[in-house]
Amino acid sequence: MPQTLSVIKADVGGFVGHSAMHPDVLGEAAESLERAVQSGLLLDAQAHACGDDVFLVMSHERGENDESVHQLAWDTFVAGTEVARRLHLYGAGQDLLVDAFSGNIRGAGPGSAELELEERPSEPVLVFMGDKTSAGAFNLPLYKMFADPFNTAGLVISESLHEGFSFEVHDVREHRKIVFAAPAEIYDLLAFIGSPARYAVKRIASRATGEIAAVSSTDKLSEIAGRYVGKDDPTAIVRCQGAFPAVGEALEPFTTAWTVEGFMRGSHYGPWMPTSLAEAHPSRFDGPPRLVALGYQLAEGKLVGPRDMFDDPSFDNVRREANDIADYLRKHGPFEPHRLPLDEMEYTTMPAVAAKLADRWAPL
């Protein structure tokens, strides 16, 4: 029977400021998930945190977009919000953008990535959790995993990967999607996903088997709320081995500290730093943006793990690189390219400032 791996996340309150998740909030989430496992709604589940976001990792047999699973996630976030308010945590409930749940988490504020699969004899998966960055941040790493032979040797030397992958890309502003075949259409693909503020890779499938290889969250808070209410803090699920990239190939893109939007107030570019769970608590200028990778073996729906994949000295160099890039960009202060370009500042105070000064502009 097909299984579904759902990762649904939200910021329900930061400790201290936007830097971390309070243990009581995470504990509330874990208790909620345990009750759902005991009731039979879920096969297995865990709650984890990256920065000030709680990520619910849930295995079940109910398919994608199941109302009961999404209701559970919403209720868990509401309960976490109550804990956050009791502790006077910062931004309590900030990702809960609607007053009541209406059947699906999408469009309500929280982000989600869901992947339906037929479990193989050995089913290794990676769950990526990001903080202080935006939907679309996974575009470049996913491209390298599934389309770049300099990153993924299996695209050249493994028969099961050689036919390539299909990329489903979402236009998050016009709410439409398109599918590109790699390698045949990689130039067309890059023309769009090279602009991650608007175009985001949602789903990747094997062209050999049709199986879904990876999914990411493409929910943009500013597009939903019409104003800045926090960054999207995306998540992604990647299946590994066999017809998919090896675990080491899926982690290899993160040996470079890619520049992503987010950082302080979601209005700056900064380096994406892969860290262990223990170091996923950004504090310097609310950053640098963080990324955690949790590795699991699925065993009849049970989550065997996690392994903390970036808790590895081989990623020390990229962490140093991220700090060096952060030093350089911070010196720009309010100037681009550290601050986002004007068209990406439309959800900040920039429109209000422009409106206030509109009648002071004079023709040249």
Side-chain angles (χ1 to χ4, degrees):
M1 184 173 181
Q3 299 171 13
T4 303
L5 189 60
S6 299
V7 182
I8 304 179
K9 50 73 56 184
D11 180 349
V12 298
F15 172 68
V16 170
H18 287 297
S19 64
M21 171 69 56
H22 194 281
D24 289 359
V25 177
L26 196 59
E28 178 71 30
E31 290 175 11
S32 174
L33 294 182
E34 178 59 28
R35 291 192 295 269
V37 172
Q38 294 300 322
S39 74
L41 176 64
L42 304 177
L43 297 172
D44 203 0
Q46 297 178 3
H48 294 284
C50 181
D52 57 349
D53 287 78
V54 59
F55 292 76
L56 310 179
V57 183
M58 301 174 286
S59 172
H60 55 92
E61 296 177 326
R62 306 180 67 89
E64 298 178 21
N65 297 311
D66 179 74
E67 182 172 348
S68 297
V69 173
H70 284 229
Q71 179 79 64
L72 166 66
W74 179 264
D75 292 344
T76 301
F77 296 144
V78 170
T81 296
E82 291 306 309
V83 174
R85 286 179 177 148
R86 187 176 73 242
L87 297 173
H88 293 206
L89 301 184
Y90 190 76
Q94 75 169 31
D95 281 4
L96 307 185
L97 302 182
V98 297
D99 295 328
F101 179 76
S102 60
N104 194 292
I105 214 82
R106 290 184 302 171
S112 64
E114 297 186 285
L115 195 157
E116 193 168 331
L117 57 89
E118 293 278 358
E119 189 177 300
R120 299 169 291 172
S122 181
E123 188 66 59
V125 298
L126 298 175
V127 172
F128 292 97
M129 309 187 307
D131 185 49
K132 301 300 181 289
T133 188
S134 178
F138 283 109
N139 283 9
L140 197 162
L142 288 173
Y143 174 82
K144 292 190 73 65
M145 286 180 214
F146 291 97
D148 182 1
F150 283 80
N151 179 90
T152 300
L155 293 168
V156 177
I157 63 177
S158 172
E159 185 177 356
S160 60
L161 276 69
H162 199 73
E163 290 188 35
F165 294 87
S166 296
F167 286 69
E168 180 183 313
V169 176
H170 287 194
D171 180 340
V172 299
R173 292 186 183 171
E174 297 296 329
H175 306 289
R176 55 185 183 172
K177 65 182 180 180
I178 188 172
V179 177
F180 296 97
E185 298 180 306
I186 59 172
Y187 296 160
D188 296 334
L189 170 68
L190 289 169
F192 291 93
I193 66 171
S195 297
R198 176 165 177 174
Y199 300 100
V201 175
K202 177 62 181 178
R203 192 173 285 106
I204 298 173
S206 166
R207 297 188 66 215
T209 68
E211 293 177 284
I212 301 302
V215 293
S216 77
S217 59
T218 56
D219 316 84
K220 285 186 75 72
L221 284 169
S222 58
E223 294 287 338
I224 298 170
R227 66 188 191 282
Y228 175 73
V229 290
K231 218 53 187 163
D232 313 310
D233 304 328
T235 185
I237 305 169
V238 177
R239 298 174 73 186
C240 298
Q241 309 295 149
F244 312 118
V247 169
E249 292 170 329
L251 294 174
E252 183 67 12
F254 303 103
T255 56
T256 295
W258 305 113
T259 302
V260 294
E261 63 174 37
F263 225 151
M264 173 62 71
R265 293 186 173 86
S267 300
H268 297 79
Y269 285 116
W272 211 4
M273 179 188 286
T275 68
S276 65
L277 278 169
E279 295 184 332
H281 309 302
S283 57
R284 181 197 174 181
F285 203 63
D286 277 0
R290 292 294 201 274
L291 180 69
V292 166
L294 301 182
Y296 295 96
Q297 294 284 160
L298 297 184
E300 298 179 0
K302 296 297 183 182
L303 298 167
V304 181
R307 269 210 66 218
D308 194 348
M309 306 304 289
F310 290 142
D311 186 11
D312 178 348
S314 64
F315 290 95
D316 286 349
N317 284 352
V318 67
R319 289 188 269 269
R320 282 192 293 269
E321 180 183 56
N323 280 323
D324 289 341
I325 294 169
D327 286 343
Y328 171 74
L329 287 172
R330 283 297 303 125
K331 289 180 172 64
H332 291 78
F335 287 84
E336 299 177 21
H338 184 31
R339 195 178 75 179
L340 298 185
L342 281 178
D343 62 339
E344 293 300 321
M345 298 288 285
E346 59 183 301
Y347 299 107
T348 69
T349 58
M350 285 297 286
V353 172
K356 181 179 69 172
L357 301 177
D359 60 358
R360 291 177 54 182
W361 288 91
L364 294 176

